[in-house]
Amino acid sequence: SAVDVYYPTLLRQHLAQVITIKQRNFLPNDDITKDFLKDFRLRLEDSLRLISDAEPSQVLSDLFVEHLKGKTLSNSQGVAVSVQILGVEDAWNKLATHIGQPKEALKRQFDALVSRRNDIVHRGDRSSRDPAGPVQAIGYAWADNHIHAARSVVQASDELVQAQMLALTPPPDEAHG
């Protein structure tokens, strides 16, 4: 559940800056991001706000974050889209390299935790394959290991995005301080 809050917060914190710097090229061109955002639409009043607001990058950022509230950012696709929008290309490869784990194993572990969390929250800890079935057993070691993987993904996301924000920010003009 904390991951559900983290990625929208990360976007809220940095997206306006990315839009300001990259302008119309701020969106990644990969198929995952395109598919994830295919239903994003601006209403006429939103378009007029973009045209007239003193900070159009912030307006567009807010509209994106609002749209993403209806999406799941706490699965492997949502994580990838979130960090890629913030400029970290090839997100899961970079996350896995940063953490020092194989990409597919890390994604599998992350998605297994998300799936189990959904079983607990939405079905009283019954499997999505058998929602009327028995409560699933869970071991401390499994939970601790998978939570550690999710924590590592979040920490790596934060570190990679922070590095990207530093790379996007022009160095201060030495004459001005």
Side-chain angles (χ1 to χ4, degrees):
S1 292
V3 174
D4 287 331
V5 174
Y6 172 74
Y7 286 97
T9 302
L10 189 67
L11 286 163
R12 196 173 298 109
Q13 182 179 4
H14 298 293
L15 185 54
Q17 179 184 359
V18 171
I19 294 170
T20 298
I21 293 167
K22 291 186 171 184
Q23 298 188 357
R24 66 175 25 190
N25 297 318
F26 81 95
L27 278 178
N29 201 23
D30 64 288
D31 291 337
I32 293 172
T33 304
K34 284 180 184 177
D35 182 56
F36 202 79
L37 297 172
K38 68 184 173 199
D39 59 343
F40 178 76
R41 301 285 183 267
L42 290 176
R43 299 173 312 178
L44 178 59
E45 58 265 22
D46 297 331
S47 298
L48 295 173
R49 277 181 55 212
L50 280 169
I51 294 169
S52 63
D53 198 276
E55 294 186 42
S57 296
Q58 187 63 56
V59 171
L60 185 56
S61 174
D62 292 345
L63 290 169
F64 259 92
V65 171
E66 185 63 31
H67 172 74
L68 292 174
K69 283 182 182 178
K71 301 281 190 176
T72 301
L73 298 180
S74 60
N75 61 22
S76 59
Q77 183 186 25
V79 168
V81 168
S82 296
V83 298
Q84 287 174 173
I85 287 174
L86 295 174
V88 179
E89 296 176 7
D90 198 13
W92 276 102
N93 278 327
K94 294 242 174 78
L95 289 167
T97 299
H98 196 76
I99 294 168
Q101 289 195 7
K103 175 180 90 170
E104 291 307 319
L106 183 62
K107 280 177 68 174
R108 227 181 358 263
Q109 205 172 12
F110 187 84
D111 281 336
L113 179 66
V114 170
S115 176
R116 187 58 189 266
R117 177 249 181 222
N118 290 340
D119 287 348
I120 292 167
V121 171
H122 301 293
R123 290 174 286 287
D125 206 10
R126 288 167 176 80
S127 170
S128 60
R129 288 183 220 125
D130 186 11
V135 171
Q136 301 175 88
I138 190 168
Y140 177 80
W142 184 94
D144 186 57
N145 184 36
H146 285 70
I147 289 169
H148 179 75
R151 186 180 305 127
S152 294
V153 167
V154 167
Q155 182 66 40
S157 295
D158 194 64
E159 291 170 4
L160 290 169
V161 167
Q162 291 300 330
Q164 183 61 29
M165 292 300 102
L166 286 173
L168 285 175
T169 305
D173 183 3
E174 296 196 14
H176 294 95

